[in-house]
Amino acid sequence: MVKCSVIYEAVKDSLTMAQVEKRGGLLRKSSAYKKPLKEKVVLMYDEIFMTEDPSKCSPRFWEELFLMKVNLEYLEGKLESLDGEELMKIKENINCLFQHCIQALGEEHPIRVVNALQTLCALIRGVHQKNKSTSGFDIINMLMGFDKAELCMKNLMESLDSLLCAEGSESLKSLCLKLLLCLVTVTDNISQNTILEYVMINSIFEAILQILSHPPSRREHGYDAVVLLALLVNYRKYESVNPYIVKLSIVDDEATLNGMGLVIAQALSEYNRQYKDKEEEHQGGFFSALTNMVGSMFIADAHEKISVQTNEAILLALYEAVHLNRNFITVLAQSHPEMGLVTTPVGPAPATPATPLGTTPPSSDDEHRLHSGKLCLIILTCIAEDQYANAFLHDDNMNFRVNLHRMPMRHRKKAADKNLPCRPLVCAVLDLMVEFIVTHMMKEFPMDLYVRCIQVVHKLLCYQKKCRVRLHYTWRELWSALINLLKFLMSNETVLLAKHNIFTLALMIVNLFNMFITYGDTFLPTPSSYDELYYEIIRMHQSFDNLYSMVLRLSTNAGQWKEAASKVTHALVNIRAIINHFNPKIESYAAVNHISQLSEEQVLEVVRANYDTLTLKLQDGLDQYERYSEQHKEAAFFKELVRSISTNVRRNLAFHTLSQEVLLKEFSTIS
């Protein structure tokens, strides 16, 4: 062990001066008669902001600078206070500071490295702030100089890579990741951040993977590493070949994928915990009793007040992993601590920051929550399209107990958690889709989310039909939810048609029923399940009759909805055939047996006895769908999402989490 006593004592003395108080870069002794004095590091910053080279008069200037505790506020503030012309006058000194920071990263003494990392953060943020104005200077030239930029960034990225992969200080690794996040997020649109070209050329992908695969590092830095990777993957992803996309798509190391899954699962579990805590705060008392008693058809509006920070950065990371790497599918369940798994993850769960990077504050408008909902449904869409994922979701030998949040509603009781059944994971996905359907029929109708929800269900049914998977699921809940959604669309026709083409959604719902009617015998669990389908259609025939009347009315008029309504009219042919075939027979049965109201079993008896005389039309394309494509349909959404995440990461990025005294204790003895 080598004692760093000289450096330790020098920095320690600067922290323990008697009765010294820091105020905005000034040190003031306790005596009121003394003139305020600038701390030494501030005086050294002032020299850098002169046009002369500060090392001319003081050859040890740069060596001494990195022994001084960084004053981030003063340095950033000084950079921001200068206009573009003034900044250009000291360009050489800024270039020199940037280069000496990079050199200091290779120093033996960690205190110098820490101060260099923090200085780089202040430099990058301060100079980029100037770029928001019309000063006209180039960021790369201002920080490094065009002629030295390539070498500077190569050396910087190599140093950061070495520090992240080394066995050394966790505090240094934390600062390295924060510097990289600072570098990535200084612009709202990361694809306009030209410095990232050098981060693409000098990849740190392997260093990120090493953090995620190594339990101690993952616990300390996994969250920042996952957020960093999600952002890097989105740099100019549509304009050029992004090496981080290519490398992420071929990762097959189990430890690395499990590590990423653990970080994501921990962050999402923390979100769920916060939501549950908030919900419990809102329960009880007069208001709760009143809302439960009165209820509302727009139930989702009534619970808008229960909100926590939405972690869009982690959702983006989950999306990229699922979308780009099919090997990640196996991790989805294994790494989730709340899913009653047989296997327990090895190693401690990673910590999530108190205010996680990339989270949207709960006070934000509903648009952010819609974005999060959309992203979740896109993730489920990617899963529902994947053959391997579907095989895993539908595997009868892999059963899970999944506790889904169910919104309190006046017409249903809250299910007890202890009664949750163990089932294939696809049952939880279907439950989630049903829950979404029944809880979001509200004034501000989220049409896009409903379309995606129905698409997820359709894709799962297509897999079941193709592979003849007979899933033991309470299909009645789905059928009931779909019919109630149709009723909602019809009862709010005028309001909804002013904003949405509701016939697109209606057609999708009707075609889901057509899937069950045409192919149900290949994937419904029992013959009685098929009977129950017919029973539900017959029982709710009035809803289908009303839908037919509505679309017939609009398809016979020369209005804007003529074509869309006509498609629904044609799609209803088999449903109407079932209703028109069985209803007279049920009425006849009731009349002959003198029964005013038939029981379910009596109706099913009539249905079973009259299948043979029912004629249905074969409908093509029911088991076909258009595959998800990000670039062609979702590019604008993801650009805006990444912009929002970049802004939030930059706002939540803190460089003061490490006190100088803590660092001194950690670095006073080094190997």
Side-chain angles (χ1 to χ4, degrees), residues 315-331:
L315 287 176
L316 178 65
L318 175 58
Y319 164 75
E320 297 296 356
V322 168
H323 182 227
L324 296 174
N325 190 309
R326 67 172 313 190
N327 299 313
F328 188 76
I329 294 295
T330 58
V331 176

Side-chain angles (χ1 to χ4, degrees), residues 490 537-547 579 583:
M490 289 184 285
I537 292 172
I538 295 163
R539 185 175 72 87
M540 300 302 294
H541 72 89
Q542 193 62 56
S543 297
F544 291 109
D545 291 343
N546 292 344
L547 175 63
I579 293 168
N583 265 359

Side-chain angles (χ1 to χ4, degrees), residues 592-645:
V592 169
N593 292 280
H594 306 289
I595 303 172
S596 59
Q597 189 169 354
L598 299 184
S599 67
E600 179 177 338
E601 190 51 47
Q602 288 169 328
V603 172
L604 288 173
E605 184 184 334
V606 176
V607 168
R608 294 187 190 106
N610 290 280
Y611 273 134
D612 292 345
T613 53
L614 173 65
T615 303
L616 298 176
K617 288 188 177 180
L618 185 62
Q619 294 176 306
D620 295 327
L622 293 175
D623 58 344
Q624 305 295 316
Y625 58 81
E626 184 181 356
R627 293 189 65 83
Y628 169 77
S629 172
E630 178 188 321
Q631 185 168 355
H632 295 109
K633 292 197 171 181
E634 309 295 349
F637 167 72
F638 278 100
K639 283 180 180 177
E640 191 54 42
L641 180 71
V642 173
R643 179 189 291 270
S644 170
I645 292 170

Side-chain angles (χ1 to χ4, degrees), residues 136-381:
F137 62 82
D138 186 272
I139 300 299
I140 294 175
N141 189 38
M142 190 66 228
L143 286 173
M144 297 165 267
F146 287 129
D147 54 335
K148 297 175 183 174
E150 189 172 338
L151 182 59
C152 270
M153 286 303 298
K154 180 176 182 291
N155 292 337
L156 173 60
M157 296 306 295
E158 286 178 353
S159 295
L160 294 175
D161 186 79
S162 297
L163 290 167
L164 288 171
C165 294
E167 297 257 336
S169 161
E170 298 301 329
S171 298
L172 279 181
K173 291 181 182 180
S174 177
L175 278 176
C176 287
L177 287 168
K178 283 178 166 49
L179 171 59
L180 286 163
L181 284 165
C182 171
L183 195 66
V184 172
T185 62
V186 283
T187 56
D188 290 347
N189 184 347
I190 65 171
S191 293
Q192 293 178 351
N193 186 353
T194 50
I195 294 180
L196 290 190
E197 283 297 325
Y198 299 106
V199 182
M200 296 293 117
I201 296 168
N202 304 284
S203 174
I204 51 156
F205 183 81
E206 285 72 22
I208 294 174
L209 293 198
Q210 183 171 316
I211 288 171
L212 295 175
S213 62
H214 190 232
S217 291
R218 180 176 68 240
R219 180 170 178 79
E220 294 291 328
H221 318 296
Y223 188 92
D224 284 357
V226 164
V227 172
L228 175 62
L229 181 59
L231 289 168
L232 289 172
V233 161
N234 280 276
Y235 174 72
R236 302 192 66 196
K237 69 193 303 188
Y238 308 119
E239 293 91 43
S240 60
V241 177
N242 181 321
Y244 290 85
I245 292 178
V246 176
K247 291 180 178 181
L248 179 58
S249 67
I250 59 175
V251 173
D252 59 1
D253 178 67
E254 188 176 349
T256 302
L257 294 172
N258 282 337
M260 185 182 296
L262 275 167
V263 174
I264 293 171
Q266 177 70 14
L268 296 179
S269 296
E270 178 61 19
Y271 173 85
N272 288 339
R273 185 194 63 76
Q274 289 178 11
Y275 189 94
K276 189 175 181 181
D277 290 348
K278 284 278 187 181
E279 185 184 35
E280 287 173 358
E281 286 176 20
H282 283 71
Q283 288 176 354
F286 176 75
F287 178 76
S288 176
L290 181 65
T291 52
N292 285 337
M293 179 181 68
V294 177
S296 169
M297 72 178 296
F298 304 119
I299 191 70
D301 291 298
H303 287 263
E304 291 279 277
K305 293 182 181 179
I306 302 178
S307 60
V308 294
Q309 292 181 334
T310 53
N311 200 326
E312 293 173 331
I314 283 293
L315 287 176
L316 178 65
L318 175 58
Y319 164 75
E320 297 296 356
V322 168
H323 182 227
L324 296 174
N325 190 309
R326 67 172 313 190
N327 299 313
F328 188 76
I329 294 295
T330 58
V331 176
L332 286 176
Q334 294 174 13
S335 60
H336 199 302
E338 292 185 348
M339 290 173 61
L341 304 181
V342 177
T343 56
T344 303
V346 178
T352 303
T355 304
L357 302 175
T359 56
T360 299
S363 58
S364 296
D365 57 20
D366 291 342
E367 186 178 355
H368 282 290
R369 264 170 275 171
L370 287 173
H371 282 175
S372 295
K374 179 175 179 177
L375 185 52
C376 289
L377 287 166
I378 289 175
I379 292 168
L380 289 172
T381 298

Side-chain angles (χ1 to χ4, degrees), residues 40-50 61 65 68-72 74-75 78 97 119:
K40 185 172 181 181
V41 73
V42 170
L43 292 171
M44 297 182 82
Y45 290 157
D46 288 344
E47 288 187 57
I48 295 171
F49 285 93
M50 302 294 182
F61 179 87
L65 176 66
M68 299 291 106
K69 181 184 176 183
V70 177
N71 189 324
L72 283 166
Y74 186 85
L75 185 53
K78 191 76 174 176
L97 174 58
T119 303

